């Protein structure tokens, strides 16, 4: 149970802060809100007070008379800025302190989590990009923004992360465990590559191994973004899940989730996709030969991230599913893709979709052969190795 200071700044997404307060209180946290002048345009002081059960602070000088901004800054275990407007992020980066929120942010020694929300053009502006880089270098944690429809007739990255995602990020930062405060991106499941509006190319991946890895990392305190293709397994609790279909969507979702301390690519990404996706269902024509299916190469998500010029995670882990020469192929794959580790498995048996996995961990230091284990146990071992590597 922690003390959360929640700063709500000006964005139409401020309504999501109310749901976040509800989730945080249900988990037993105490929430003290600070509402900026901009935030007060979108959510009322009364609503925040009602749902937080706490006094809402919105004025530097009134707060000074009551409790003092220094005491307010010392109270929390975590400061959460959600939504964080472009303006407030700029103030934080510059160290300005002209209202209660910015003054407390300058005075606090607690960790800070920001959840940006703004128009995609503002998010992409070099000023915001530079401000975010400054804040990241100072250790400010970030969740989102997400890509998607906005209030304006415009879409792109800038949307405030959903309350459940914000809450998962908070829990991860408060968690104990060797991966507390770390962000790990995990891919899982198959991809579906559309042929026409009703058909697709996919594979037998169940998502069990990737999802188990996400769970094991979260259990060690990591904030986990799980980017998953279509699977039947349930979304793990305490993990931010981004659902995708094709390889290109998966790459975009992974890139949007960066930066990360580590990334684990357990998805069985289709290597190829149909070159042209028909707008109409393909027809069989009596007497005519079946249509050919021309394929093009999909982007390699693992290789792209492992060779990312600016945002390569400190530890990049790939998988290699092979049916012969498993270890030799994995060693070559590790070098070719530029990742740090490869978890190699022989998928000639019932591994794909099955409950167990026998893997080899291929690193720069050599090869470890792990015994055949339930996928959950493989996940726990891998998570604990990741924690050691990041320590
Ligand atoms: O080249 P191959 O498919 O065998 O490599 C497997 C590894 O690369 C896995 O970690 C898989 O998640 C990743 N991969 C990827 N994007 C692709 C193909 C594979 O991230 N297009």
């Amino acid at each position: 149970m922690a003390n959360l200071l929640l700063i709500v700044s000006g964005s139409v997404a401020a309504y999501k802060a109310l749901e976040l307060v509800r989730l945080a209180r249900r988990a037993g946290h105490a929430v003290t809100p600070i509402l900026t002048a901009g935030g007060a345009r979108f959510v009322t002081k009364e609503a925040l007070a009602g749902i937080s059960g706490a006094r809402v602070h919105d004025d530097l000088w009134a707060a000074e008379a009551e409790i003092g901004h220094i005491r307010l800054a010392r109270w929390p275990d975590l400061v959460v800025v959600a939504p964080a407007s472009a303006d407030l992020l700029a103030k934080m980066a510059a160290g300005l302190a002209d209202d209660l929120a910015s003054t407390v942010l300058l005075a606090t020694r607690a960790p800070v989590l920001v959840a940006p929300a703004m128009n995609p053009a503002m998010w992409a502006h070099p000023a915001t990009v530079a401000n975010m880089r400054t804040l990241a270098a100072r250790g400010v944690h970030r969740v989102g923004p997400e890509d998607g429809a906005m209030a304006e007739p415009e879409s792109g990255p800038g949307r405030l992360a959903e309350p459940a995602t914000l809450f998962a990020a908070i829990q991860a930062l408060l968690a104990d465990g060797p991966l507390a405060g770390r962000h790990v991106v995990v891919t899982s499941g198959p991809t579906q590559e559309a042929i026409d509006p009703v058909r697709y190319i996919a594979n037998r991946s169940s998502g069990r191994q990737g999802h188990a890895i996400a769970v094991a990392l979260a259990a060690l305190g990591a904030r986990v973004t799980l980017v998953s293709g279509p699977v039947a397994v349930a979304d793990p609790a305490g993990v931010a899940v981004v659902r995708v279909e094709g390889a290109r969507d998966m790459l975009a979702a992974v890139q949007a989730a960066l930066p990360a301390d580590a990334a684990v690519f357990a998805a069985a990404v289709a290597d190829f996709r149909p070159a042209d996706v028909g707008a109409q269902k393909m027809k069989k024509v009596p007497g005519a030969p079946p249509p050919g299916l021309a394929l093009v190469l999909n982007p390699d998500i693992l290789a792209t991230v492992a060779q990312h010029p600016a945002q390569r995670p400190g530890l990049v882990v790939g998988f290699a599913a092979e049916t012969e020469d498993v270890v030799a192929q994995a060693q070559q794959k590790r070098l070719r893709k530029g990742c740090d580790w490869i978890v190699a498995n022989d998928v000639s048996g019932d591994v794909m979709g099955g409950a167990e996995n026998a893997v080899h961990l291929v690193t720069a230091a050599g090869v470890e052969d792990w015994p055949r284990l339930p996928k959950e146990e493989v996940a726990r071992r891998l998570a604990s190795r990741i924690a050691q590597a990041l320590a």
Side-chain angles (χ1 to χ4, degrees), residues 187-189 191 193 247 250-251 254 264-272 297-305 317-322 329 333 336-337 339 341-343:
T187 68
S188 183
T191 61
E193 309 295 336
M250 186 173 272
L251 174 61
V254 166
V264 181
F265 295 91
V269 183
D271 291 323
F272 314 106
L297 205 57
N298 263 330
D300 191 311
I301 303 165
L302 166 61
T304 305
V305 173
V317 183
F319 271 68
E322 305 290 348
Q329 298 252 24
K333 196 165 286 184
R336 195 170 64 236
K337 301 217 183 195
C339 59
W341 300 351
I342 287 272
V343 181

Side-chain angles (χ1 to χ4, degrees), residues 109 127 166 192 244 276 303-304 316 360 373:
R109 292 200 183 96
L166 298 173
Q192 286 182 355
V244 297
D276 303 298
T304 305
V316 178
H360 313 268
L373 295 165

Side-chain angles (χ1 to χ4, degrees), residues 29-350:
H29 303 315
V31 182
T32 295
I34 291 181
L35 189 57
T36 71
R41 296 268 173 174
F42 297 97
V43 69
T44 67
K45 192 173 176 178
E46 289 71 21
L48 267 177
I51 214 149
S52 67
R55 174 175 212 94
V56 178
H57 301 278
D58 61 353
D59 183 84
L60 178 58
W61 304 110
E64 218 44 47
E66 288 162 21
I67 132 160
H69 69 271
I70 296 296
R71 268 181 60 199
L72 207 47
R74 282 192 187 148
W75 173 78
D77 299 300
L78 177 67
V79 180
V80 181
V81 189
S85 65
D87 176 66
L88 185 51
L89 292 167
K91 278 184 181 172
M92 288 172 72
L96 296 183
D98 65 349
D99 65 358
L100 182 61
S102 53
T103 303
V104 166
L105 282 162
L106 198 58
T108 192
R109 292 200 183 96
V112 177
L113 172 69
V114 298
M118 66 196 73
N119 161 282
M122 293 168 82
W123 176 247
H125 194 284
T128 306
V129 172
N131 290 336
M132 290 313 301
R133 203 171 291 141
T134 301
L135 295 175
R138 281 186 207 142
V140 170
H141 303 277
R142 160 164 86 87
V143 52
E146 292 175 356
D147 209 324
M150 314 270 296
E152 299 131 74
E154 203 170 339
S155 78
R159 211 166 105 119
L160 180 65
E162 291 305 315
T165 305
L166 298 173
F167 179 63
I170 290 170
Q171 291 297 84
L173 285 171
L174 294 173
D176 290 331
L179 288 173
R182 303 290 197 160
H183 179 213
V184 186
V185 176
V186 179
T187 68
S188 183
T191 61
Q192 286 182 355
E193 309 295 336
I195 298 171
D196 67 18
V198 296
R199 302 183 180 94
Y200 56 80
I201 299 175
N203 59 66
R204 295 185 194 282
S205 169
S206 63
R208 286 177 79 155
Q209 186 63 81
H211 279 53
I213 291 167
V215 169
L217 290 163
L220 296 185
R223 173 163 80 84
V224 180
T225 304
L226 175 63
V227 181
S228 177
V231 292
V233 289
D235 286 355
V239 164
V241 183
V242 184
R243 282 187 218 85
V244 297
E245 284 183 1
R248 288 176 298 174
D249 314 333
M250 186 173 272
L251 174 61
V254 166
Q255 284 178 321
L258 297 177
D261 298 287
V264 181
F265 295 91
V269 183
D271 291 323
F272 314 106
R273 65 172 186 278
D276 303 298
V277 182
Q280 307 299 333
K281 187 182 162 200
M282 271 186 196
K283 291 283 185 210
K284 55 181 176 229
V285 182
L293 200 55
L295 300 174
V296 291
L297 205 57
N298 263 330
D300 191 311
I301 303 165
L302 166 61
T304 305
V305 173
Q307 295 164 34
H308 200 293
Q311 290 194 306
R312 185 193 194 275
L315 182 69
V316 178
V317 183
F319 271 68
E322 305 290 348
T323 52
E324 55 189 355
D325 292 338
V326 177
V327 168
Q329 298 252 24
Q331 283 168 321
Q332 286 165 20
K333 196 165 286 184
R334 194 182 79 82
L335 298 174
R336 195 170 64 236
K337 301 217 183 195
C339 59
D340 300 296
W341 300 351
I342 287 272
V343 181
N345 53 354
D346 188 334
V347 290
S348 51
D350 61 353

